[in-house]
Amino acid sequence: MAETILVDRYLSNEEQYRNLIPQLKSLLSPSDELISNLANCTAVLKQTFEKISWVGFYLYNGKELYLGPFQGKIACTTIKIGKGVCGTAAEIRETIIVPDVNKFPGHIYCDPDSKSEIVIPVIKKDENLFGVLDLDSNELNSFNETDKKYLEEICKFLTVDIL
Ligand code: SME
């Protein structure tokens, strides 16, 4: 069933998350295919935040990360664990906020216009790595602790209720 997401551009960053999370929770369903849920999750984030230039999942196949559902320009198809921001977040299993991608050693350039980034690891209930959620922006300093808090909540919801 098609659904509409209500977005109010005048809300603060935190209010945007508070507005979107209940909508996301009602939109995504374990009875839908996983890829469909992940695809809609990226669409909700891209529709809500003007600051996001690219948002997508990199999924873990037991060997490396590979490109999953995303919104934005074409991107690298595989990333090794420990490489770039995505591979590092997957390896250390912690969210990484990169205020300026030029200052992150080993940052992988998929889009030359990308200036800042946040990557959240997605860990399954059995503690195995599922993948990462990667958000890019064409502005410096686009992501902060508020983004981290709510994006981690979204990834937790995915692992507990959807995966
Ligand atoms: N910049 C990422 C690669 C993925 S793209 O940004 C979509 C990284 O360094 O891991």
CSV table of all heavy atoms in Angstrom, one decimal, residues 2 8 17 19 34 49-50 106 109 133 145 148 159:
chain,number,residue,atom,x,y,z
A,2,ALA,N,0.6,2.2,-0.9
A,2,ALA,CA,1.3,3.4,-0.9
A,2,ALA,C,1.0,4.3,0.3
A,2,ALA,O,-0.2,4.3,0.7
A,2,ALA,CB,1.1,4.2,-2.2
A,8,ASP,N,7.5,18.6,7.6
A,8,ASP,CA,7.4,20.0,7.9
A,8,ASP,C,8.8,20.6,7.9
A,8,ASP,O,9.6,20.4,8.8
A,8,ASP,CB,6.7,20.2,9.2
A,8,ASP,CG,6.5,21.7,9.5
A,8,ASP,OD1,7.1,22.5,8.8
A,8,ASP,OD2,5.8,22.0,10.5
A,17,TYR,N,13.1,14.5,13.4
A,17,TYR,CA,13.2,13.0,13.7
A,17,TYR,C,12.0,12.6,14.5
A,17,TYR,O,11.4,11.5,14.3
A,17,TYR,CB,14.5,12.8,14.6
A,17,TYR,CG,15.7,12.7,13.7
A,17,TYR,CD1,16.7,13.8,13.8
A,17,TYR,CD2,16.0,11.6,12.9
A,17,TYR,CE1,17.8,13.7,13.0
A,17,TYR,CE2,17.2,11.6,12.2
A,17,TYR,CZ,18.1,12.6,12.2
A,17,TYR,OH,19.2,12.6,11.5
A,19,ASN,N,9.1,13.7,14.4
A,19,ASN,CA,7.9,13.7,13.5
A,19,ASN,C,8.0,12.5,12.6
A,19,ASN,O,7.0,11.8,12.3
A,19,ASN,CB,8.0,15.0,12.7
A,19,ASN,CG,6.8,15.1,11.7
A,19,ASN,OD1,5.7,14.8,12.1
A,19,ASN,ND2,7.0,15.4,10.5
A,34,LEU,N,12.4,-7.5,3.1
A,34,LEU,CA,13.5,-6.7,3.7
A,34,LEU,C,13.9,-5.6,2.8
A,34,LEU,O,14.1,-4.4,3.3
A,34,LEU,CB,14.6,-7.6,4.1
A,34,LEU,CG,15.8,-7.0,4.7
A,34,LEU,CD1,15.4,-6.2,6.0
A,34,LEU,CD2,16.9,-8.0,5.0
A,49,PHE,N,15.0,15.2,5.1
A,49,PHE,CA,16.1,16.1,5.4
A,49,PHE,C,16.7,16.6,4.1
A,49,PHE,O,17.3,15.9,3.3
A,49,PHE,CB,17.1,15.4,6.2
A,49,PHE,CG,16.7,15.0,7.6
A,49,PHE,CD1,16.3,13.7,7.9
A,49,PHE,CD2,16.6,16.0,8.6
A,49,PHE,CE1,15.9,13.3,9.1
A,49,PHE,CE2,16.2,15.6,9.8
A,49,PHE,CZ,15.8,14.3,10.1
A,50,GLU,N,16.6,18.0,3.9
A,50,GLU,CA,17.2,18.6,2.7
A,50,GLU,C,18.7,18.5,2.8
A,50,GLU,O,19.4,18.5,1.7
A,50,GLU,CB,16.8,20.0,2.7
A,50,GLU,CG,15.4,20.2,2.1
A,50,GLU,CD,15.0,21.7,2.0
A,50,GLU,OE1,15.3,22.5,2.9
A,50,GLU,OE2,14.3,22.0,1.0
A,106,GLY,N,41.5,8.0,4.6
A,106,GLY,CA,40.9,6.8,4.0
A,106,GLY,C,39.5,6.9,3.5
A,106,GLY,O,38.9,5.9,3.1
A,109,TYR,N,35.8,8.3,-1.7
A,109,TYR,CA,35.0,9.3,-2.5
A,109,TYR,C,34.2,8.6,-3.5
A,109,TYR,O,34.6,8.2,-4.6
A,109,TYR,CB,36.0,10.2,-3.2
A,109,TYR,CG,36.6,11.2,-2.2
A,109,TYR,CD1,37.8,11.0,-1.6
A,109,TYR,CD2,36.0,12.4,-1.9
A,109,TYR,CE1,38.4,11.8,-0.7
A,109,TYR,CE2,36.5,13.3,-1.0
A,109,TYR,CZ,37.7,13.0,-0.4
A,109,TYR,OH,38.2,13.9,0.5
A,133,LEU,N,24.2,2.0,7.9
A,133,LEU,CA,23.4,3.0,7.3
A,133,LEU,C,24.3,4.2,7.1
A,133,LEU,O,25.0,4.7,8.1
A,133,LEU,CB,22.2,3.4,8.2
A,133,LEU,CG,21.4,4.5,7.7
A,133,LEU,CD1,20.7,4.3,6.4
A,133,LEU,CD2,20.3,4.8,8.8
A,145,GLU,N,25.3,15.0,17.3
A,145,GLU,CA,24.8,14.0,18.3
A,145,GLU,C,23.3,13.7,18.2
A,145,GLU,O,22.8,12.6,18.5
A,145,GLU,CB,25.2,14.4,19.7
A,145,GLU,CG,26.7,14.3,20.0
A,145,GLU,CD,27.3,12.9,19.9
A,145,GLU,OE1,26.7,12.0,20.3
A,145,GLU,OE2,28.4,12.8,19.3
A,148,LYS,N,22.9,11.3,15.5
A,148,LYS,CA,23.4,10.0,15.9
A,148,LYS,C,22.3,9.3,16.8
A,148,LYS,O,22.0,8.1,16.6
A,148,LYS,CB,24.7,10.2,16.8
A,148,LYS,CG,25.3,9.0,17.4
A,148,LYS,CD,26.6,9.3,18.1
A,148,LYS,CE,27.3,8.2,18.7
A,148,LYS,NZ,26.8,7.6,19.8
A,159,THR,N,16.5,-3.5,13.5
A,159,THR,CA,17.0,-4.8,13.9
A,159,THR,C,16.0,-5.6,14.8
A,159,THR,O,15.9,-6.8,14.7
A,159,THR,CB,18.4,-4.7,14.7
A,159,THR,OG1,18.2,-3.8,15.8
A,159,THR,CG2,19.5,-4.2,13.8
